[in-house]
Amino acid sequence: MVLDRVLVLPLLLSLLFLSSADGLVQDFCVADLSSQDTPAGYPCKPVSDVGYCDFVFSGLASPGNTSNLIKAAVTPAFVSQFPGVNGLGISAVRLDIAVGGVVPLHTHPGGSELVIVMQGTITAGTISSSNDVYVTQLKAGDTMVFPQGLLHFQINSGNSPVVAFVSFSSPSPGLQITAFALFGNDLPSEIVEGVTFLDDAEVKRLKKVLGGSG
């Protein structure tokens, strides 16, 4: 029995040391953007090639261009722009919405979203999988969370431009805008009509507006 303890104790200490050493080696995994992204993230860039610039992103300082159909702009700091967030389960964007602008109904299949309003007024809402609707008005300093995968939207409901910063629980949360999924591609009009209960003229009008065909 004493011999077993003598043998087991060094083994446990060795395993603890190896586990700690591995943890130190894996302090971070800066994305090697020359490789392909995978469901597990990008491969790690060699530590010898990592610099402070991999952990800094300045792109959120400037407003995005809101001269578009939805009068809104999203400036991302996802892993493809900010390789230091690879593997950390975080990322961010800057959201600019001009007066009358909207971020249409959409989902992020890869992560939850937390929006912090810095300027302006937003009407924001989310819809649960049981179709319960949660809508409110957000002003500067307000924060709202949108759980992963749920439909949600933001509308500039004030008289001045909106600036907000958004964080995600993923380095690459993904995005699917419902309107573009239905009307911005070549899904045949008769199928869209069947699944949306819209008539042919309205479906074709929306396809024309959103760049779809068929």
Side-chain angles (χ1 to χ4, degrees):
M1 181 68 69
V2 174
L3 181 61
D4 288 344
R5 290 179 180 174
V6 170
L7 292 174
V8 168
L9 184 58
L11 177 61
L12 290 175
L13 290 174
S14 297
L15 290 174
L16 180 61
F17 173 78
L18 290 173
S19 175
S20 300
D22 182 64
L24 291 174
V25 170
Q26 298 299 321
D27 282 345
F28 49 78
C29 177
V30 172
D32 179 0
L33 299 180
S34 66
S35 300
Q36 293 295 316
D37 195 6
T38 73
Y42 282 91
C44 304
K45 186 161 70 169
V47 174
S48 58
D49 294 339
V50 173
Y52 77 87
C53 57
D54 292 307
F55 301 106
V56 177
F57 183 76
S58 301
L60 304 187
S62 301
N65 182 5
T66 58
S67 299
N68 52 54
L69 178 66
I70 62 175
K71 298 182 180 179
V74 173
T75 305
F78 297 152
V79 64
S80 54
Q81 297 86 27
F82 192 7
V85 303
N86 189 50
L88 299 183
I90 54 173
S91 61
V93 304
R94 174 182 172 134
L95 176 61
D96 292 280
I97 312 176
V99 175
V102 58
V103 180
L105 204 63
H106 64 283
T107 68
H108 302 288
S112 298
E113 173 182 341
L114 182 76
V115 61
I116 304 171
V117 181
M118 306 302 293
Q119 172 187 308
T121 303
I122 295 176
T123 296
T126 188
I127 302 172
S128 74
S129 58
S130 57
N131 294 322
D132 294 317
V133 181
Y134 305 92
V135 181
T136 190
Q137 190 174 82
L138 305 174
K139 296 183 178 180
D142 290 338
T143 302
M144 187 171 183
V145 67
F146 305 100
Q148 179 174 342
L150 295 190
L151 289 164
H152 58 284
F153 61 87
Q154 293 98 11
I155 301 170
N156 184 337
S157 53
N159 298 315
S160 62
V162 162
V163 178
F165 290 98
V166 181
S167 65
F168 292 95
S169 61
S170 166
S172 186
L175 170 68
Q176 185 172 38
I177 298 177
T178 306
F180 285 96
L182 287 169
F183 308 109
N185 52 38
D186 60 357
L187 185 64
S189 293
E190 59 268 25
I191 294 178
V192 179
E193 293 159 22
V195 300
T196 62
F197 307 106
L198 296 173
D199 62 33
D200 183 66
E202 183 65 7
V203 167
K204 289 181 176 174
R205 184 188 73 82
L206 290 170
K207 277 181 170 284
K208 183 176 180 180
V209 169
L210 298 176
S213 62

